[in-house]
Amino acid sequence: MAYQSMEECLLDLEKNGQLVRIKEEVDPYLEMAAIHLRVYEQQGPALLFENVKGSRFRAASNIFGTLNRSRFIFRETLRSVQQIIALKNDPVKALKNPFGNAGAAFAAIKALPMKNPGNKPVLQQEIRVSDIPQIQHWPMDGGAFVTLPQVYTEDIDKPGIMHANLGMYRIQLSGNEYIPDKEVGLHYQLHRGIGIHQTKANSKGQPLKVSIFAGGPPSHTVSAVMPLPEGISEMTFAGVLGGRRFRYSYEDGFCISTDADFVITGEVYPGENKPEGPFGDHLGYYSLTHQFPVMRVHKVYARKNAIWPFTVVGRPPQEDTSFGQLIHEMTGAAIPQEVPGLKEVHAVDAAGVHPLLLAIGSERYTPYTPTKQPAELLTIANHVLGTGQLSLAKFLFITADDSNRLTTHNVEDYLQFVLKRIMPNRDIHFYTNTTIDTLDYSGTGLNTGSKVVFAAYGEEIRSLCSEVPQVIKDLTGITDVKWVMPGIVAIQTSGYSTEHDAHNTIQKMDEQLKNRLDNLRDLPLIIWCDDAGFTAASLRNFLWVSFTRCNPSHDIHGIDSFISHKHWGCNGPIVIDARIKPHHAPAVETDAATEKKIDRIFAKGGSLSAL
């Protein structure tokens, strides 16, 4: 349906049994987030909070909580979007099947934004920032945050909506040093379009005008997270996905999404930063307090019966997982088309998305040689790590499958395929002193860390152990050891103290094992962790622990390791030190008292008793 508002979408979900109204008064401090988390965990319905303590506005969450619900919301436009993206990758398809692709052409008509529509519902009232539901999600959060914002900025050299950027950058509404109702915090990371716009404005000594939209048709929210090629307006995509042209106007020089539920306008002045954070984030840890741009609030607008949308960000999977699934469903083979030789790439959600990429490429460089080894794969790996947000990855596993049966989306099978073939003395390639995700605190500083590529190709060179090898059980200095999956074990020792102690411990481990490599040929990977039982308990735990707590250049070791002509390798198992380090951010944890308080909503007679 071409929803004209978020409420129209929510009513449609309710009519089809996919939304529940919460009538009890709920505290935006921790309670609303805790309810959302419990419902999401059960893959439950969208939620409409009708009685938010301290605010006259309603709030909604879990709107995109399942892929099936997202498909339902965009049921009339999803196929057209897929067709348009496919036609961009292969325009010849349109010539081969003009009638089959007519729907895509019709949908594209909706792409052109509509300026100054007759009806501008978001301008019905002016409010204050403090009138908005002040939702705090985690106990250590620095204040209330906007978690589903659409942040709009324009290129100062090319003004206008067709050169604008719409992104989802978190907004801190309260707390820290922000002047209430006068200032909000604007946090954005590397490789974001808003950074280019602010750089240009700064160079001219001018403030950057910012408009923060919240709510409106659901296509607007999705367009803000869509990884569109540079130069393509998110507003045009919102029109195609929503089946309704993006409507906008200008007030006091600020762009206004007239269909939004709320709009906050303001300016960011050169050099004006304030502490932002902490904030429980999508890696499952808090992002800590850092200096980020502060926005001077100009005006705040709202619909008459506006609904405040929010989600909860924390250890994956969460609702943003469904965003990723929906984007993958729409874009299909778009990224492989962009990187020659790449067949498939998967940012692993359970590992926090950016830390871990799995890829399948081609190996066509030397078909005339009998020896199979990574060659083209290394070229593809460099291209992947230089492409948009993929460049934020820390770990890239890449292989080629001549049978075309392997998929990156079966993570366990994929890892076993690689581990059966990897040669640790040849196939490990580091990138040091480089950029990583702003939210990843495993590196050497903000935005700074390292990357590693595991590139494996060829025939199987080992079986994978189906239990913990005895030689590992006999190690001294370990407190526990668990088999994780074929070819991987988790060992537990004392906690990390210093880099020096870590090297001493690995050296002692090396002394015990390097002369017994024959007993370890089926064990290519050891995870060194704080809790072997937790790490081995599930695939989700293994991925989260192993790849969010490791800075490759500092925390990857190997048994019988060596450096030859600046290439690092090892002749025994690879060891990933995934223990928590002193400089790591704390993990997000729910508040026990809050969990007890929200039981009333799920008890008999409560709005969510059916769950």
Side-chain angles (χ1 to χ4, degrees):
M1 293 182 65
Y3 300 116
Q4 297 185 38
S5 66
M6 183 169 67
E7 182 163 30
E8 196 172 274
C9 171
L10 297 179
L11 290 172
D12 188 33
L13 291 177
E14 183 177 42
K15 179 182 175 182
N16 287 275
Q18 298 192 54
L19 178 137
V20 171
R21 297 172 183 260
I22 298 177
K23 301 185 181 300
E24 298 90 339
E25 182 182 69
V26 180
D27 197 330
Y29 179 76
L30 303 185
E31 283 190 13
M32 292 173 70
I35 292 167
H36 168 102
L37 287 169
R38 197 180 290 189
V39 172
Y40 176 83
E41 186 73 22
Q42 298 185 46
Q43 294 291 277
L47 302 173
L48 180 59
F49 295 85
E50 295 190 315
N51 192 353
V52 179
K53 184 178 180 180
S55 178
R56 58 192 168 94
F57 293 108
R58 297 168 293 168
S61 77
N62 207 34
I63 300 167
F64 307 97
T66 68
L67 178 58
N68 282 338
R69 185 147 62 246
S70 295
R71 286 172 176 157
F72 175 81
I73 290 171
F74 302 115
R75 59 193 180 276
E76 295 181 7
T77 58
L78 195 57
R79 186 170 179 272
S80 297
V81 171
Q82 291 168 328
Q83 283 182 315
I84 289 170
I85 293 173
L87 290 174
K88 177 184 176 295
N89 293 327
D90 185 7
V92 175
K93 284 184 179 179
L95 300 177
K96 291 180 178 177
N97 187 12
F99 295 105
N101 292 294
F106 180 76
I109 296 172
K110 304 293 185 181
L112 187 64
M114 178 186 292
K115 188 175 183 180
N116 293 323
N119 187 26
K120 303 175 184 178
V122 78
L123 298 179
Q124 288 177 334
Q125 57 180 325
E126 279 192 38
I127 64 170
R128 299 169 302 172
V129 170
S130 55
D131 293 326
I132 294 168
Q134 301 292 298
I135 303 172
Q136 180 166 330
H137 301 81
W138 299 101
M140 288 174 57
D141 280 358
F145 284 83
V146 189
T147 49
L148 287 178
Q150 307 152 36
V151 183
Y152 178 97
T153 57
E154 293 188 3
D155 187 328
I156 200 167
D157 293 330
K158 299 177 181 177
I161 200 165
M162 298 309 290
H163 298 286
N165 178 75
L166 190 73
M168 191 170 284
Y169 317 119
R170 79 174 186 238
I171 307 297
Q172 186 168 347
L173 294 177
S174 63
N176 296 357
E177 300 173 12
Y178 302 118
I179 301 172
D181 292 320
K182 301 292 186 183
E183 296 176 338
V184 298
L186 175 58
H187 174 121
Y188 66 85
Q189 299 153 247
L190 295 175
H191 298 280
R192 300 304 199 266
I194 188 175
I196 297 171
H197 290 174
Q198 188 180 0
T199 299
K200 287 187 174 184
N202 286 354
S203 69
K204 297 178 183 294
Q206 297 182 22
L208 176 70
K209 290 188 180 297
V210 179
S211 301
I212 301 165
F213 314 144
S219 61
H220 295 191
T221 301
V222 174
S223 68
V225 296
M226 192 72 184
L228 298 173
E230 193 169 332
I232 296 180
S233 166
E234 286 84 5
M235 281 55 69
T236 63
F237 180 81
V240 174
L241 180 61
R244 173 180 166 83
R245 295 170 65 184
F246 185 94
R247 287 156 166 76
Y248 72 104
S249 66
Y250 284 89
E251 299 291 328
D252 301 333
F254 294 90
C255 184
I256 304 293
S257 170
T258 58
D259 283 342
D261 283 72
F262 297 83
V263 175
I264 305 172
T265 61
E267 293 177 312
V268 176
Y269 282 77
E272 287 196 4
N273 301 317
K274 282 193 174 183
E276 187 268 356
F279 179 73
D281 227 312
H282 72 264
L283 268 71
Y285 307 91
Y286 286 94
S287 56
L288 303 181
T289 304
H290 298 284
Q291 295 285 328
F292 277 97
V294 60
M295 185 179 102
R296 299 186 196 178
V297 175
H298 177 64
K299 290 182 180 179
V300 186
Y301 305 96
R303 281 175 173 259
K304 185 178 179 181
N305 295 304
I307 300 172
W308 182 254
F310 75 97
T311 188
V312 181
V313 188
R315 182 187 164 189
Q318 295 296 344
E319 187 176 0
D320 51 4
T321 301
S322 299
F323 276 123
Q325 293 171 333
L326 179 64
I327 288 168
H328 178 76
E329 187 147 306
M330 287 189 287
T331 58
I335 290 177
Q337 288 287 334
E338 189 175 334
V339 180
L342 181 64
K343 296 180 178 178
E344 195 175 306
V345 64
H346 176 203
V348 180
D349 184 72
V353 182
H354 290 315
L356 177 62
L357 294 181
L358 309 181
I360 299 171
S362 307
E363 196 53 74
R364 305 165 296 186
Y365 278 3
T366 54
Y368 49 83
T369 61
T371 303
K372 292 184 176 182
Q373 66 182 53
E376 184 179 2
L377 290 178
L378 299 177
T379 301
I380 297 168
N382 286 326
H383 200 153
V384 168
L385 292 177
T387 300
Q389 293 186 42
L390 297 179
S391 65
L392 299 178
K394 286 192 306 184
F395 286 81
L396 170 58
F397 286 75
I398 186 166
T399 189
D401 173 29
D402 297 333
S403 70
N404 291 317
R405 290 195 294 264
L406 186 66
T407 174
T408 58
H409 292 275
N410 187 327
V411 175
E412 190 165 350
D413 284 355
Y414 177 92
L415 289 176
Q416 288 179 44
F417 185 93
V418 170
L419 293 177
K420 286 177 180 179
R421 291 162 175 80
I422 196 166
M423 296 177 63
N425 62 345
R426 184 194 68 189
D427 294 338
I428 304 173
H429 309 274
F430 288 93
Y431 301 69
T432 61
N433 296 319
T434 188
T435 54
I436 60 173
D437 187 2
T438 304
L439 307 177
D440 190 333
Y441 285 86
S442 67
T444 53
L446 189 68
N447 298 321
T448 306
S450 62
K451 308 178 188 298
V452 66
V453 172
F454 293 93
Y457 176 65
E459 305 300 329
E460 294 182 11
I461 61 172
R462 66 175 65 82
S463 300
L464 300 176
C465 62
S466 56
E467 60 182 6
V468 178
Q470 187 62 44
V471 65
I472 298 295
K473 294 178 181 178
D474 294 340
L475 277 173
T476 60
I478 67 172
T479 56
D480 194 13
V481 58
K482 291 286 189 292
W483 181 83
V484 178
M485 66 177 68
I488 305 175
V489 300
I491 62 169
Q492 178 179 326
T493 66
S494 58
Y496 185 100
S497 56
T498 65
E499 189 176 336
H500 177 72
D501 286 343
H503 281 286
N504 284 344
T505 302
I506 198 71
Q507 188 173 356
K508 291 175 183 176
M509 196 186 305
D510 187 78
E511 290 170 356
Q512 296 178 69
L513 295 177
K514 69 180 180 180
N515 294 321
R516 305 182 68 181
L517 296 183
D518 285 347
N519 303 103
L520 294 170
R521 61 181 177 271
D522 294 337
L523 175 63
L525 182 58
I526 294 171
I527 305 302
W528 185 6
C529 58
D530 295 302
D531 187 336
F534 176 83
T535 303
S538 67
L539 176 64
R540 180 188 175 207
N541 286 2
F542 157 71
L543 293 169
W544 185 58
V545 168
S546 302
F547 300 105
T548 64
R549 301 177 181 178
C550 174
N551 179 17
S553 62
H554 288 55
D555 300 325
I556 290 180
H557 309 279
I559 303 304
D560 194 20
S561 64
F562 63 88
I563 297 175
S564 175
H565 302 292
K566 302 180 180 64
H567 176 81
W568 182 93
C570 58
N571 295 308
I574 304 160
V575 180
I576 294 178
D577 184 353
R579 294 175 298 168
I580 294 175
K581 319 299 189 300
H583 59 279
H584 287 184
V588 295
E589 295 179 352
T590 55
D591 177 66
T594 301
E595 290 297 314
K596 188 173 182 180
K597 285 171 66 178
I598 67 169
D599 284 342
R600 73 188 191 280
I601 311 294
F602 297 86
K604 186 176 180 180
S607 295
L608 293 171
S609 60
L611 296 181

